[in-house]
Amino acid sequence: MTKNSLVIYKNQPAVVKENDGDKYIITYCSQPATPTGKKAVYSEQKVREKDVVLLSDGPVSSLEKVLYAARDETLTQKFNSSLLETYELLISEAETAAAPLSFAELLDYAASDLAPDNVWAFYQTVCSMPQFNQDGDAFKNGTLTFTLRTAEQIEEINRKKYEKEHEAEIRQAFINRLKERKLDLPSDSKFMGEVEAFALCQTDKSKVLEQAGISQNIEKAHRLLIETGIWSETKNPHPTRLGFSFDSAREQLGPMPPEEREEVPCICYAIDSPNAADPDDAIGYDGTYYWVCIADPASSVAPDSSIDIAARNRGTTLYIPEGASRMLCESSLEDYALGLKEREANDDPAVKSSALAFRLKIDDDCQIEECLVKKVCVHVKMISYEQVEQQKDSPEFKPFYDLARRNLARRTANNAITIQMPEVDIKVDRETKVVSVAPESKYESNDVVQEFMLLAGEGAARFAFINKIPFPFVSQEAPSFPDKLPDGWAGQFARVKCMRKRSVGITPAPHSGLGLSFYSQVTSPLRRYSDLIAHQQLRAFINGRRLLDKDEMLERIAAGDAASLAARKASRLSETHWKLVYLMQNPEQTYTGVCIDKRGSDALFLIPQLDMQTSLKACGNINLNDEVTLKAGKIDITTQEVTFLKQ
């Protein structure tokens, strides 16, 4: 750079006044002139060469003339026209269309004889044109380079510029279309983002709704999104509203850590649905002891680790018809679920898995005589409920059925309450969103597994109590039933209404609903946080490590239970959502409704095919357990309300 060279300093023009060793003294405008008559103020600054970018060797007449030229609209229009011609020439040639251009090259193409005083005006014109894209690192490396934008890129820039300049009128036109429910999609979608956020409870207000004169209510926002085509009626907003992600936890548990484990002396069976992806329990019998082997993620998940805290915040795996949002990382299933790893040998019918086992010795009265908790290695064979049912009298499975029947009889004698309400299996096709609703297949083998899980929970609670381990005990107060209960579905519903809420705490108390004096849930640590912390305590006791104290347990129990409550609500609302979608997809189908409760002439009906309930008026001649034929009438997916009509 020489005296009177034109440079760029902090994105404005400056003129080199003189050289001062390895630095330069420049003149720049520190305060521009104002329309009120204030004159421009010019200042001097000593800079290093890397602080400026050379624009022209000059010599320029003065900084005032450089700035004056930049305000000359005639000159700017001339440069604009010349640069457009240059762009068209360069973009038409394959060799130059993608190649970067230096500012000097661009100047040579479009204005080779340009006076130095006008170079800043030329540079500003280039920067203002969407045809030319300036290298973002120009002011870092001291060079000015440009690339040519494509026609599509230019169109997008011009569109954004137009929208910015006409923002108010564009938004008002959108609001007018919104009021008429006639959006211009997909371009109007960008304005509806805040309405979506409001409908998903991610924000507490929406300016769009306010401007459109629509009350700020999430159900009305939901309806608006459907009416305008932003959402389809199949959109399920409920998990998101309650703070759940459709994604599973992401942090990896890593492989099972090596540690000494006892070998279980029998094959254990993971009995589950054919499509189960996270088997976490298996049962076995060695002729003396019954084994309930449970997945062992607590071997890797330490209390207050990042994985533990994330699991606590979720509370449980969220199961909805669309799929599962898992409490622990999906990739951990192969290492920690039971029976999922590849067999060690092709002729081995079982898969070797690590587990935390409850070894139970049961006496003649089906009381737990002994329960030991062990870290084990077990051979697990996966098998479905239906397959087990077909082999219920075989030597492998008959002992399980015998013990399960005896345990059910023991609990029943202890006033356990068995309630059988309908359950349905809801499936949603990911591509078409077609919904199917069918009764869940139930076998006695389902009850067998349940009885073994109850025995493990009872044994674990007794083990924790005997060894003074702070533990998440589950209890339930006895219900108060009326003297006479109706038969059928009406009787089952009457029992449901009388049941007390279960509670989880560190003090053991009877679980009247199960007919047990001690109980804790310990059989699903892959998907329930309370089970995971129970396993952490048991493993700490076995390994001689510090136990979480009572206050720490209470804090974790409360946090996990609160999250689980939200998950259960999200699951319930999601199931109702898809049932309503099913009704909308099958408008002519009829259903059998069973009267399960009456209040005056109003009657409550259970629809077993759907596991849904509906109220009907003017049913004075209907008695409990009477059946009627129903058909869905008006359905509001946003409020989850449906009207059934008698046929």
Side-chain angles (χ1 to χ4, degrees):
M1 291 185 294
T2 58
K3 185 177 181 180
N4 293 328
S5 292
L6 181 64
V7 297
I8 302 174
Y9 173 67
K10 293 184 177 181
N11 291 323
Q12 62 176 305
V15 176
V16 177
K17 185 176 180 182
E18 60 181 284
N19 183 296
D20 185 10
D22 59 348
K23 294 186 178 180
Y24 297 87
I25 298 174
I26 61 170
T27 302
Y28 69 100
C29 182
S30 56
Q31 184 175 314
T34 65
T36 58
K38 284 189 177 181
K39 294 183 178 180
V41 177
Y42 297 93
S43 303
E44 291 185 356
Q45 180 73 35
K46 187 178 288 188
V47 299
R48 297 164 298 180
E49 186 171 358
K50 68 177 184 177
D51 295 330
V52 297
V53 176
L54 180 64
L55 202 58
S56 171
D57 283 325
V60 296
S61 304
S62 66
L63 183 56
E64 290 88 337
K65 289 189 177 181
V66 169
L67 293 171
Y68 177 80
R71 296 191 294 270
D72 188 338
E73 292 184 7
T74 303
L75 192 61
T76 301
Q77 290 173 2
K78 176 183 175 183
F79 292 154
N80 191 282
S81 176
S82 176
L83 283 165
L84 279 175
E85 291 179 7
T86 300
Y87 171 82
E88 295 297 337
L89 174 66
L90 295 174
I91 200 71
S92 64
E93 298 178 6
E95 292 183 4
T96 58
L101 288 165
S102 69
F103 178 71
E105 289 175 313
L106 196 54
L107 187 61
D108 190 49
Y109 275 118
S112 57
D113 57 348
L114 191 63
D117 288 352
N118 298 335
V119 172
W120 172 251
F122 180 83
Y123 170 76
Q124 280 195 305
T125 305
V126 175
C127 293
S128 68
M129 295 177 66
Q131 288 77 6
F132 302 97
N133 178 40
Q134 185 173 346
D135 179 5
D137 291 329
F139 295 102
K140 290 183 180 179
N141 56 33
T143 60
L144 292 175
T145 55
F146 295 83
T147 52
L148 305 182
R149 289 193 175 102
T150 64
E152 292 78 10
Q153 291 171 326
I154 294 169
E155 183 180 356
E156 178 65 12
I157 290 171
N158 287 332
R159 182 187 65 78
K160 288 182 178 179
K161 181 181 178 183
Y162 177 85
E163 288 179 354
K164 187 174 182 181
E165 292 173 348
H166 300 80
E167 182 177 359
E169 64 183 85
I170 290 173
R171 188 172 182 86
Q172 187 56 53
F174 155 71
I175 294 296
N176 293 339
R177 291 193 296 274
L178 181 60
K179 289 178 179 179
E180 296 176 2
R181 308 299 193 268
K182 295 179 180 179
L183 294 187
D184 182 11
L185 297 178
S187 61
D188 278 345
S189 298
K190 59 182 178 293
F191 297 114
M192 295 294 287
E194 69 173 62
V195 179
E196 290 189 85
F198 178 79
L200 293 171
C201 296
Q202 294 172 331
T203 181
D204 59 359
K205 58 185 177 180
S206 165
K207 192 173 182 180
V208 167
L209 292 177
E210 181 184 348
Q211 291 177 330
I214 301 169
S215 60
Q216 306 212 21
N217 170 285
I218 59 170
E219 287 82 13
K220 289 187 177 180
H222 187 171
R223 187 176 296 113
L224 179 67
L225 290 163
I226 292 173
E227 291 172 349
T228 54
I230 300 296
W231 285 1
S232 73
E233 289 176 322
T234 62
K235 169 74 174 180
N236 176 16
H238 301 290
T240 307
R241 284 177 181 173
L242 289 162
F244 286 91
S245 166
F246 283 93
D247 298 324
S248 298
R250 295 184 178 179
E251 188 172 350
Q252 303 279 342
L253 272 70
M256 186 79 70
E259 58 183 330
E260 188 176 341
R261 291 179 180 270
E262 181 178 321
E263 186 94 17
V264 175
C266 60
I267 287 179
C268 287
Y269 297 90
I271 307 170
D272 215 323
S273 303
N275 56 352
D278 53 358
D280 52 6
D281 56 73
I283 60 176
Y285 180 55
D286 64 12
T288 302
Y289 298 104
Y290 294 92
W291 295 81
V292 181
C293 297
I294 308 298
D296 193 13
S299 60
S300 292
V301 183
D304 285 333
S305 64
S306 55
I307 295 176
D308 178 71
I309 293 170
R312 189 185 313 162
N313 291 337
R314 287 176 178 258
T316 184
T317 289
L318 173 64
Y319 292 101
I320 55 177
E322 298 98 307
S325 174
R326 301 192 185 281
M327 183 182 79
L328 298 175
C329 184
E330 187 99 30
S331 64
S332 67
L333 293 179
E334 183 179 351
D335 283 317
Y336 291 87
L338 302 184
L340 289 187
K341 278 201 166 184
E342 293 185 9
R343 295 182 178 90
E344 294 181 349
N346 292 332
D347 57 349
D348 189 347
V351 175
K352 199 171 184 180
S353 298
S354 296
L356 191 70
F358 299 89
R359 195 189 75 177
L360 303 167
K361 189 173 184 181
I362 310 296
D363 67 16
D364 294 339
D365 297 324
C366 207
Q367 299 288 343
I368 298 175
E369 188 176 297
E370 175 188 280
C371 175
L372 291 182
V373 184
K374 295 173 172 285
K375 296 179 291 183
V376 301
C377 178
V378 56
H379 282 79
V380 177
K381 183 177 180 180
M382 294 183 66
I383 188 167
S384 71
Y385 290 113
E386 184 178 9
Q387 290 172 318
V388 171
E389 196 72 11
Q390 294 168 356
Q391 305 173 58
K392 63 195 312 179
D393 295 321
S394 68
E396 291 86 1
F397 297 108
K398 188 175 185 301
F400 300 150
Y401 279 81
D402 290 343
L403 178 62
R405 290 163 184 161
R406 288 167 56 212
N407 197 55
L408 177 58
R410 171 179 72 101
R411 294 192 303 105
T412 302
N414 200 27
N415 298 316
I417 300 158
T418 301
I419 298 176
Q420 295 181 333
M421 294 296 283
E423 295 181 38
V424 295
D425 183 27
I426 307 168
K427 288 186 170 60
V428 180
D429 186 283
R430 289 180 178 270
E431 297 296 326
T432 65
K433 303 302 181 184
V434 172
V435 185
S436 65
V437 180
E440 279 195 352
S441 299
K442 290 288 185 181
Y443 305 95
E444 189 183 358
S445 55
N446 292 80
D447 299 330
V448 169
V449 172
Q450 177 179 302
E451 292 301 324
F452 270 80
M453 298 306 106
L454 293 176
L455 283 166
E458 183 183 5
R462 288 181 180 275
F463 181 87
F465 178 72
I466 291 169
N467 292 287
K468 297 180 173 56
I469 302 172
F471 212 61
F473 295 100
V474 184
S475 61
Q476 186 179 42
E477 292 183 20
S480 178
F481 289 138
D483 293 336
K484 187 176 180 181
L485 287 166
D487 297 327
W489 289 121
Q492 298 297 317
F493 179 70
R495 287 175 173 83
V496 171
K497 289 198 299 180
C498 295
M499 295 302 292
R500 304 289 182 86
K501 186 179 178 182
R502 70 155 208 164
S503 62
V504 183
I506 58 172
T507 303
H511 194 300
S512 297
L514 297 176
L516 298 175
S517 301
F518 291 87
Y519 183 60
S520 180
Q521 289 184 309
V522 294
T523 57
S524 296
L526 287 174
R527 57 187 178 89
R528 280 197 302 252
Y529 183 70
S530 61
D531 297 39
L532 179 62
I533 57 177
H535 276 232
Q536 290 172 341
Q537 286 290 82
L538 293 171
R539 285 185 59 88
F541 177 80
I542 294 169
N543 294 333
R545 297 197 310 266
R546 186 187 82 85
L547 296 168
L548 297 172
D549 63 32
K550 292 183 177 181
D551 289 340
E552 290 174 310
M553 284 298 295
L554 280 172
E555 180 185 344
R556 285 160 174 75
I557 289 169
D561 221 32
S564 294
L565 187 65
R568 289 194 294 273
K569 184 177 181 181
S571 180
R572 184 178 70 253
L573 291 172
S574 295
E575 288 179 358
T576 301
H577 170 84
W578 289 111
K579 289 175 186 177
L580 296 184
V581 173
Y582 174 79
L583 292 174
M584 296 169 75
Q585 292 175 349
N586 299 273
E588 299 305 316
Q589 189 166 330
T590 59
Y591 309 91
T592 298
V594 182
C595 180
I596 56 174
D597 199 14
K598 289 204 69 178
R599 190 170 291 178
S601 63
D602 294 348
L604 180 66
F605 288 87
L606 171 69
I607 307 173
Q609 294 161 270
L610 301 171
D611 183 18
M612 292 183 74
Q613 297 174 12
T614 186
S615 295
L616 295 179
K617 296 184 179 297
C619 295
N621 61 338
I622 297 287
N623 298 313
L624 293 180
N625 291 314
D626 282 357
E627 295 183 355
V628 298
T629 300
L630 299 173
K631 185 178 180 181
K634 183 180 178 182
I635 300 169
D636 190 336
I637 203 86
T638 68
T639 59
Q640 296 206 329
E641 294 175 353
V642 56
T643 302
F644 282 92
L645 307 172
K646 280 196 294 185
Q647 299 300 292

